[in-house]
Amino acid sequence: MPLDEHRFPRHPFDPRSDDADGDKLREECGLFGCIGVGDAATFVALGLHALQHRGQEAGGIVTYDPEAGFNSARKLGYVRDNFTERETIEQLPGRAAIGHVRYSTSGAKGQTAIRDVQPLYAEFAMGGCAVAHNGNLTNAAALRRALTERGSIFQSSSDTECIVHLIARGFQPNIPERMKEALRRVEGAFSVIALTRTKLIGVRDPMGVRPLVLGRLGDGWALASETCAFDICGAEYVREIEPGEMVIITEEGGVESSRPFEPAPSRFCIFEHVYFSRPDSVIGGRSVYESRRRIGVELAREAPVEADLVCPVPDSGTPAAIGFSQESGIPYAMGIIRNQYMGRTFIEPSEQIRNMGVRLKLNPNRALIRGKRVVLVDDSVVRGTTSIKIKDMMLDAGAKEVHFRIASPPTSWPCFYGVDTPDREKLLAATMSEEEMRAHLGVDSLRFVTLDGLYRAVGESERDAACPQYCDACFSGEYPIPPSDQIASGRIPAQRKAGA
């Protein structure tokens, strides 16, 4: 069942809102869970609303109440449209709940069916359990084949269901121990939250590619993908869940921590700093906004240009544009204005209106940019289709020159850890040099921040080539976790695995 985007227009924090052609990397999913608070579903709905930028296709909440048992609601579309009415929340009683907002990174790409909406719920011999997952299992296809050959019956196309079946087939006496056993068999990037009758469980993969944070919510506890979800519901940030850590949280006993995996070097996704996380979140004690502003500073140092204005491509390019302006001394200006209400303006757009593409969402500030040399700062270039349209729009509005500065290195390799990336041959940087891309886009100059510059912007002195501090596979092609399914299918050559 495809998502009707005219019924469910994209969220204002959704970076894809800037892009009519899907010419952006699409983020993963968002998780929120809490235990030990009254009306837990309300807090989860608030947390998911703050995380809506991580997934706009669908959302779900599962709660547990000793009298009512487990209850769930799974809906297509936005949290604000599905989980704000009182009658919905009243059907989700309990002092413990978990929730998930989804963008389909596995299964059927670009569409969501109700059967794929998380959290997934299952009844095991020792009781019920709901599971939600952010990331991607790189051996999910192999696991699914092995499980179905042994009699497992899958109900969804989500790789998360592999975790559920592995738990069901475990031999340990309780669900947390079975989860440990199951997650030791999976490969890839994952942050998982789970809910049993008495426990809220959170786990990160051994390299910590995907985020998960712990907060205090009144007398209870909360887990979330980002700290911005704590702000909206009044929770206090406590700390990050460490790479390879499992926390088991109960109302009575608090937080119990264990390390179920072999130690591995931390490889957090650097694109969380560049693009995915909300700018008001904090990652590793560092403001996402400040990291993005610093990227702009590095860009201005590495790729100076003579110009009259620095303009962001809204909204994801804004912090970097501010940093570029501050470092270069070129005035910052809003040369492009975003129409916040486009999604509800055209209920049934005609083909002619569809073909207007980016102009439905972005409009040049003609009086400001006419006759000016303009530096446009954007977060990334994927296929380049949107960049061409924005350049044409600026020239049509009278800009004298258009220079692009990109707040990430060239995206040359697909991601297999929870981000939907086009096939490599569709990535502009995989087939063209920087100068060829400049000519293809038709701009006066094009420069990307270097990988070393990006590392400096996020607080590192330099990138450790032998063992990079972050996962930067989409830029370097060095995959810290072997993407087994992709190697087996031939999507990438075997030598690109594990940092080769």
Side-chain angles (χ1 to χ4, degrees):
M1 182 177 179
L3 177 67
D4 182 351
E5 286 194 352
H6 306 295
R7 183 181 173 195
F8 302 121
R10 286 175 178 151
H11 192 270
F13 277 110
D14 175 13
R16 291 180 293 152
S17 293
D18 304 334
D19 165 44
D21 298 320
D23 186 25
K24 292 289 183 182
L25 298 184
R26 294 177 175 179
E27 60 279 23
E28 322 92 357
C29 303
L31 306 174
F32 192 92
C34 61
I35 191 169
V37 295
D39 210 7
T42 299
F43 288 100
V44 171
L46 287 169
L48 294 180
H49 178 72
L51 298 171
Q52 190 79 84
H53 60 288
R54 300 185 73 89
Q56 298 80 41
E57 290 188 357
I61 298 175
V62 175
T63 63
Y64 178 75
D65 178 77
E67 294 183 2
F70 285 95
N71 286 277
S72 68
R74 299 188 295 170
K75 308 275 189 176
L76 300 181
Y78 281 179
V79 173
R80 71 185 181 204
D81 296 327
N82 293 318
F83 295 102
T84 55
E85 296 194 9
R86 196 66 231 169
E87 60 257 31
T88 301
I89 296 299
E90 286 175 351
Q91 294 171 10
L92 298 168
R95 293 174 56 81
I98 64 171
H100 183 272
V101 286
R102 181 177 194 267
Y103 173 74
S104 55
T105 57
S106 67
K109 296 289 181 72
Q111 62 180 20
T112 290
I114 282 292
R115 67 194 180 109
D116 293 323
V117 180
Q118 299 183 40
L120 301 182
Y121 175 77
E123 284 282 351
F124 303 118
M126 66 288 295
C129 179
V131 179
H133 164 222
N134 170 28
N136 229 39
L137 307 185
T138 56
N139 65 336
L143 284 172
R144 182 180 283 255
R145 282 194 302 271
L147 286 163
T148 52
E149 286 170 1
R150 292 176 174 84
S152 294
I153 300 173
F154 281 76
Q155 301 295 319
S156 75
S157 65
S158 171
D159 57 351
T160 309
E161 194 172 356
C162 291
I163 299 172
V164 175
H165 284 284
L166 290 171
I167 294 171
R169 288 178 171 273
F171 297 102
Q172 300 300 324
N174 57 56
I175 289 174
E177 291 302 316
R178 287 196 181 192
M179 277 192 67
K180 291 178 183 179
E181 186 179 66
L183 293 173
R184 290 188 189 110
R185 293 186 58 188
V186 307
E187 299 171 5
F190 56 84
S191 286
V192 175
I193 60 173
L195 180 67
T196 72
R197 288 173 294 184
T198 58
K199 298 176 178 67
L200 175 65
I201 303 168
V203 194
R204 282 182 81 190
D205 69 76
M207 289 189 172
V209 178
R210 301 268 69 90
L212 192 65
V213 292
L214 174 70
R216 201 77 161 99
L217 183 54
D219 294 329
W221 298 89
L223 294 168
S225 293
E226 294 182 39
T227 61
C228 66
F230 292 157
D231 297 335
I232 195 172
C233 62
E236 177 187 358
Y237 169 70
V238 175
R239 65 176 179 87
E240 292 186 354
I241 304 302
E242 296 295 324
E245 182 183 13
M246 172 185 274
V247 291
I248 301 172
I249 310 172
T250 60
E251 279 203 57
E252 301 80 14
V255 181
E256 173 190 320
S257 174
S258 64
R259 302 278 179 161
F261 311 108
E262 291 293 323
S266 175
R267 297 292 292 271
F268 183 68
C269 172
I270 200 166
F271 223 82
E272 291 281 353
H273 285 285
V274 173
Y275 184 67
F276 294 133
S277 294
R278 257 176 51 167
D280 50 336
S281 286
V282 175
I283 296 174
R286 188 175 183 85
S287 159
V288 174
Y289 172 87
E290 179 59 18
S291 292
R292 292 177 187 169
R293 190 193 68 82
R294 289 293 307 173
I295 294 172
V297 170
E298 292 292 335
L299 260 175
R301 292 172 178 171
E302 293 180 343
V305 61
E306 291 187 6
D308 303 307
L309 297 174
V310 175
C311 303
V313 176
D315 286 321
S316 50
T318 300
I322 292 171
F324 192 101
S325 172
Q326 290 171 341
E327 181 66 18
S328 67
I330 302 171
Y332 171 90
M334 295 299 293
I336 300 174
I337 306 301
R338 181 142 72 95
N339 179 4
Q340 303 283 352
Y341 303 101
M342 193 286 298
R344 295 191 183 277
T345 301
F346 302 105
I347 305 303
E348 292 293 339
S350 65
E351 190 61 30
Q352 182 180 4
I353 290 175
R354 289 183 197 276
N355 290 337
M356 290 180 185
V358 73
R359 293 177 183 269
L360 293 177
K361 300 178 180 181
L362 303 176
N363 195 54
N365 190 344
R366 293 175 180 272
L368 181 69
I369 65 175
R370 185 178 294 114
K372 299 293 198 317
R373 299 169 297 173
V374 180
V375 180
L376 292 179
V377 181
D378 203 356
D379 56 82
S380 61
V381 173
V382 182
R383 293 185 179 93
T385 52
T386 299
S387 299
I388 291 173
K389 291 176 181 179
I390 291 173
K391 176 265 300 183
D392 289 343
M393 182 175 67
M394 299 300 282
L395 291 178
D396 289 346
K400 183 179 180 182
E401 296 176 5
V402 177
H403 303 267
F404 264 108
R405 293 297 180 268
I406 309 302
S408 63
T411 303
S412 305
W413 293 89
C415 174
F416 304 115
Y417 304 138
V419 181
D420 184 41
T421 317
D423 292 333
R424 188 162 192 252
E425 60 269 19
K426 296 180 182 177
L427 296 171
L428 206 63
T431 58
M432 295 183 183
S433 68
E434 190 171 279
E435 172 56 25
E436 288 171 334
M437 283 189 279
R438 184 207 64 76
H440 175 75
L441 298 179
V443 293
D444 292 279
S445 71
L446 169 69
R447 292 290 298 275
F448 297 79
V449 72
T450 64
L451 196 49
D452 284 336
L454 176 57
Y455 270 74
R456 287 192 294 271
V458 298
E460 303 291 341
S461 58
E462 62 182 8
R463 179 181 185 266
D464 184 345
C467 184
Q469 302 93 316
Y470 288 88
C471 177
D472 55 29
C474 54
F475 308 131
S476 67
E478 298 176 11
Y479 294 96
I481 304 164
S484 306
D485 290 339
Q486 304 300 328
I487 293 171
S489 68
R491 189 178 180 191
I492 63 167
Q495 66 265 26
R496 302 310 306 186
K497 66 181 179 181

